[in-house]
Amino acid sequence: MKLVLLGAPGAGKGTQAQILSEKLGVPMISTGNILRAAVKNETPVGLRAKAYMDSGELVPDEVIIGIMRERMAEPDCAGGYILDGMPRTITQAEALDTGGVEVETALTIEISDEEIIARMSGRRVCPDCGETYHTVYEPPDKPGVCDKCGRALTIRRDDEPETVKNRLKVYHAETEPLKDFYAARGKLLTVENRDGIAETTKIIFEALGI
């Protein structure tokens, strides 16, 4: 399966992509994870991307497309893949098409802006290992401390309320039009977000017929 997950920032795309990856036995390719690793390692791409990520703006298309093309050329993608965070613009979607990166299905997770803001304000991340938690939905065993490495958890700057509002504005202007892009090609599936992860996973499996 060659699948794209769509939805607003904080809609649960990363969590559901991981679950689908394990279910289907294909790699999850997360633009956000690749970019954050580049920022942490201070690579040339990371240094270019950091200013955009900190302000909630989209990283330029040419940077994203270059990273993803390299990743999808690796052997583990030969049997399929799940894209999380890419494409984010019509230009990126068209570049995937012209670059020979096939998308069979685009699945969008629908959720209100109000719920997104409440959800992302509770997200916490480990600055060392990158493990992600949520104060309500996925809390660590000990509040404020990473289960894996014991470091104090932090709030990413792009999860702060004002940045989240800006990210949602960018999403509606730049990324949401992708729903029409894939619908016109007969590739769009839509599911409504549920309160729990398992409930959302169930309706996604049903929509994909798996």
Side-chain angles (χ1 to χ4, degrees):
M1 182 174 289
K2 297 172 181 177
L3 176 67
V4 169
L5 291 187
L6 302 176
K13 299 184 300 296
T15 298
Q16 296 299 334
Q18 184 62 52
I19 293 169
L20 284 165
S21 173
E22 294 171 2
K23 173 75 171 178
L24 299 169
V26 298
M28 179 186 80
I29 301 174
S30 170
T31 309
N33 288 346
I34 293 172
L35 285 173
R36 280 189 286 274
V39 169
K40 183 177 180 180
N41 295 329
E42 298 186 338
T43 67
V45 170
L47 293 174
R48 280 188 72 187
K50 186 175 187 302
Y52 295 93
M53 294 171 67
D54 283 349
S55 65
E57 299 290 337
L58 294 179
V59 177
D61 288 346
E62 66 270 17
V63 177
I64 298 292
I65 292 165
I67 289 173
M68 300 305 286
R69 279 179 176 163
E70 289 179 356
R71 176 66 184 89
M72 282 180 277
E74 295 179 13
D76 64 338
C77 291
Y81 40 77
I82 299 168
L83 303 184
D84 171 27
M86 168 73 174
R88 286 189 175 181
T89 65
I90 298 293
T91 300
Q92 289 180 357
E94 292 172 341
L96 290 180
D97 281 349
T98 57
V101 178
E102 186 180 1
V103 172
E104 295 174 345
T105 303
L107 185 142
T108 178
I109 304 172
E110 296 296 293
I111 184 172
S112 70
D113 286 4
E114 292 76 16
E115 188 170 350
I116 288 291
I117 293 168
R119 177 180 289 187
M120 294 182 73
S121 66
R123 192 154 64 179
R124 302 291 184 270
V125 64
C126 177
D128 276 2
C129 71
E131 191 72 10
T132 301
Y133 302 88
H134 193 281
T135 55
V136 176
Y137 302 111
E138 293 182 274
D141 293 337
K142 183 178 179 182
V145 178
C146 179
D147 294 342
K148 291 191 173 181
C149 62
R151 280 293 303 274
L153 301 176
T154 61
I155 301 176
R156 292 202 323 241
R157 183 170 179 179
D158 57 356
D159 285 338
E160 294 175 355
E162 287 307 310
T163 304
V164 171
K165 291 177 184 178
N166 189 45
R167 292 175 70 191
L168 286 168
K169 181 180 178 181
V170 170
Y171 166 74
H172 290 305
E174 301 287 343
T175 304
E176 198 165 28
L178 284 169
K179 292 191 290 187
D180 289 338
F181 178 89
Y182 285 113
R185 289 156 177 77
K187 297 182 176 182
L188 185 71
L189 292 177
T190 301
V191 298
E192 296 291 334
N193 174 74
R194 297 291 188 266
D195 288 338
I197 292 171
E199 289 82 0
T200 302
T201 299
K202 182 176 183 292
I203 63 169
I204 287 174
F205 282 8
E206 290 173 353
L208 293 173
I210 58 176

